[in-house]
DNA sequence: CGAAGTATTGACTTGTTTCAATGTTAGTGG
DNA sequence: CCACTAACATTGAAACAAGTCAATACTTCG
């Protein structure tokens, strides 16, 4: 069978078992979750700051960003989410959204109700722990962003960002020869890194000139992951991925 | 009786019940936790990046910061923690520390083992949920920092930071007439906000000149919380505190 | 083809850093 | 109680990274 939500079930299971083994019983619990699938078009804000959602959203394909806006409409991108991520997992315990969720390109999303997630967590502490840990890795990503945007200059900041994106795609098996699809415009990368398009453009030229990356519209190829990571002072510890991915 | 750890028990209970009521049974569970008290002197790093701690740390008095360093030794302060906070709560599910913990002034800290925390979480999902929520508020604080450091200029950044510190002290009952003890030097505030001492000093002068705050060595008085928050585009939503504190 | 979004480039401006000197405050020990 | 010291705050001037403005090219797509 190939029922609605199987993609979501598989992605979630892969993700949760990336750190600890998931028992047969827990797997059955998780398989019992029912998912609603939605396709969203590009540049759609589907959760707003201030909302009180009753579901969480799992990214199946495409990229979702979390964002906050200044009074005069400038956007700060708080985090970038790729398939397997649950960008609003915190809404499970924090009622009110402190940021919005927007698609970048077209996305396929899977929604699961808070109540059913609470049910599986209540039924098994090891499931609760696995999901809890996901929400903590999210915090670790935030800390990496604070460090990166606070202490690195433009070139290094971009190197750090690309290193992170590369590693996360690598773990997913979505990078071949260092290359992965990446639909964020330079403008949006600037909004994530606290820089303008112009600075991103010039930083990108630096990284290209050093032979570290190739960046084309919609995709990035990392030519020298080690040097790129060193240049961006990127420490993958915080991603808490298995050692096999850390070259 | 006044056994070791009672301060910690009371602080934790107050904190956890700030959002949802804690049942009698849950309270008994939490009261069963055993705490180890330690006094730390000023400027002591007591947990290092890379450590694999087996306990969490509750701040009883004083201020603790979480920090990461660049290769050339510059410090980025990731977050500032006041009494009632558990700065390394994420270590409960993330084995390896991606940052260090340091005292600012002298601190009294209470330590509780991961295993005993897991026990109370396993025993009661409502306790697990309350502690989980604390770890998510931590993430919300991180997002506020990313927004603040990424999109606000120096003056507004400092206003945002002071607004946050003021509100958190207010909730604790540690602010009178808008004034609270705050031992961070301007240098350290710079390390938190991604600015230099000089910029902080000048930003402080702006806020003083506008009649928003008084800052003296070791203490801050907020004269006009509303205007200060507006100037710093500070939205207290993310702290998820009760409405009674939001003027 | 035209239009919209995106990338690139150059010239100029500005906020912040850097450097360096001078006050100021708190704590220490004679 | 004062001299001494270290930490912290304040100030000014010069240097610089990044922002702003604006024009030009390149892509993608209806």
């Amino acid at each position: 069978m190939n029922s609605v939500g199987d993609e979501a079930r598989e992605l979630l299971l892969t993700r949760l078992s990336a750190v600890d083994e998931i028992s047969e019983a827990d797997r059955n619990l998780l398989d019992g979750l029912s998912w609603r699938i939605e396709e969203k078009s590009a540049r759609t804000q589907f959760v707003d700051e201030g909302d009180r959602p009753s579901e969480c959203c799992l990214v199946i394909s495409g990229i979702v960003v979390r964002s906050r806006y200044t009074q005069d409409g400038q956007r700060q991108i708080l985090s970038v989410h790729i398939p397997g991520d649950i960008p609003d997992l915190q809404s499970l315990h924090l009622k009110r959204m402190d940021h919005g969720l927007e698609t970048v390109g077209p996305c396929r999303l899977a929604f699961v109700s808070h109540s059913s997630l609470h049910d599986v967590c209540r039924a098994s502490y090891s499931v609760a722990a696995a999901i809890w840990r996901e929400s903590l890795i999210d915090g670790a990503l935030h800390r990496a962003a604070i460090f990166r945007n606070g202490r690195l200059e433009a070139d290094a900041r971009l190197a750090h960002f690309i290193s992170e994106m590369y590693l996360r795609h690598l773990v997913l098996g979505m990078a071949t020869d260092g290359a992965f699809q990446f639909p964020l415009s330079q403008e949006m990368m600037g909004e994530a890194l606290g820089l303008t398009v112009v600075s991103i453009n010039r930083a990108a030229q630096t990284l290209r000139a050093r032979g570290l990356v190739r960046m084309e519209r919609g995709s990035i190829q990392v030519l020298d992951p080690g040097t790129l990571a060193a240049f961006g002072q990127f420490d993958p510890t915080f991603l808490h991925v298995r050692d096999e991915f850390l070259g």
Side-chain angles (χ1 to χ4, degrees), chain A:
Chain A
M1 91 175 190
N2 186 13
S3 82
V4 167
D6 273 1
E7 270 179 319
R9 270 180 275 272
E10 195 178 322
L11 261 175
L12 182 65
L13 213 63
T14 310
R15 169 62 68 102
L16 295 185
S17 51
V19 182
D20 277 335
E21 216 57 51
I22 301 280
S23 73
E24 188 62 30
D26 285 349
R27 188 171 324 205
N28 289 334
L29 263 178
L30 290 165
D31 278 346
L33 287 171
S34 76
W35 298 85
R36 179 171 57 80
I37 307 295
E38 269 192 55
E39 307 276 349
K40 300 279 182 191
S41 45
R43 296 167 178 277
T44 307
Q45 176 148 3
F46 60 98
V47 177
D48 296 341
E49 203 177 321
D51 279 3
R52 296 167 167 277
S54 60
E55 314 178 294
C56 285
C57 153
L58 172 74
V59 181
I60 296 182
S61 72
I63 286 192
V64 167
V65 296
R66 295 199 272 179
S67 55
R68 283 202 56 184
Y69 289 82
T70 59
Q71 278 156 10
D72 57 333
Q74 289 182 85
R75 172 169 64 177
Q76 174 67 42
I77 292 180
L78 302 166
S79 59
V80 177
H81 295 278
I82 68 178
D85 289 349
I86 305 177
D88 58 350
L89 186 51
Q90 87 286 338
S91 68
L92 197 55
H93 294 287
L94 300 180
K95 299 276 167 278
R96 196 181 199 85
M97 291 292 290
D98 55 54
H99 58 271
L101 258 55
E102 314 175 34
T103 62
V104 176
C107 284
R108 177 194 291 262
L109 306 175
F111 293 87
V112 63
S113 72
H114 286 172
S115 61
S116 62
L117 279 175
H118 282 303
D119 287 345
V120 296
C121 287
R122 214 188 311 268
S124 159
Y125 185 65
S126 49
V127 165
I131 297 178
W132 189 344
R133 187 182 51 228
E134 283 303 312
S135 73
L136 294 173
I137 291 178
D138 188 54
L141 286 168
H142 288 336
R143 287 191 289 278
I146 294 171
F147 171 77
R148 175 190 70 202
N149 297 356
R151 281 284 163 267
L152 304 183
E153 53 186 37
D155 300 346
R157 228 182 275 187
L158 183 60
H160 187 288
F161 179 73
I162 293 175
S163 290
E164 179 192 319
M165 288 302 143
Y166 167 62
L167 180 56
R168 286 167 67 191
H169 279 85
L170 187 68
V171 170
L172 267 181
M174 291 178 71
T176 44
D177 292 330
F180 56 99
Q181 294 303 113
F182 197 66
L184 260 73
S185 65
Q186 295 184 354
E187 175 98 47
M188 293 181 101
M189 294 192 221
E191 289 171 321
L193 303 184
L195 296 166
T196 58
V197 213
V198 178
S199 292
I200 294 290
N201 190 282
R202 286 171 181 150
Q205 289 175 45
T206 305
L207 299 186
R208 277 190 287 242
R210 284 168 175 260
L212 301 175
V213 298
R214 296 171 69 184
M215 294 174 72
E216 278 153 32
R217 193 174 287 251
S219 75
I220 293 179
Q221 182 174 18
V222 175
L223 301 173
D224 186 345
T227 311
L228 185 70
F231 186 71
Q233 300 194 31
F234 176 73
D235 170 13
T237 299
F238 73 90
L239 276 174
H240 299 271
V241 299
R242 289 185 176 163
D243 293 338
E244 64 202 76
F245 295 109
L246 311 177

